[in-house]
Amino acid sequence: RTKHRKTFRLKYEGKAKVGKVNVDEEGELSQAFGVMSIPTIVLVKDGKVVKQAVGARPKAEVEAMLQ
């Protein structure tokens, strides 16, 4: 949800980048990260995918992924 994305962006400012990709407009990027379904959360560190989750997730679960 947009509200949570903004919350995470502010909370992790300087530590992580939080964004949203439109898979219809960025098909090549979606393929590069193996996005087959939305929503998909992809955590990337040093250019490599370190965690990925498909489907809606509770805020607490997403926060735990960022730890």
Side-chain angles (χ1 to χ4, degrees), residues 29-66:
L29 182 61
S30 300
Q31 278 188 316
F33 285 99
V35 175
M36 302 296 286
S37 176
I38 53 174
T40 296
I41 299 169
V42 180
L43 299 179
V44 179
K45 185 173 184 176
D46 299 325
K48 297 187 189 310
V49 174
V50 293
K51 292 183 185 174
Q52 191 164 355
V54 178
R57 301 284 187 220
K59 181 180 174 186
E61 186 177 330
V62 175
E63 186 137 26
M65 291 174 68
L66 291 167

Side-chain angles (χ1 to χ4, degrees), residues 7-47:
T7 300
F8 289 129
R9 187 174 57 240
L10 294 172
K11 183 172 183 172
Y12 292 97
E13 189 171 4
K15 297 176 187 173
K17 292 182 182 178
V18 178
K20 176 181 174 180
V21 174
N22 182 322
V23 296
D24 293 325
E25 295 175 2
E26 299 293 341
E28 191 173 313
L29 182 61
S30 300
Q31 278 188 316
F33 285 99
V35 175
M36 302 296 286
S37 176
I38 53 174
T40 296
I41 299 169
V42 180
L43 299 179
V44 179
K45 185 173 184 176
D46 299 325

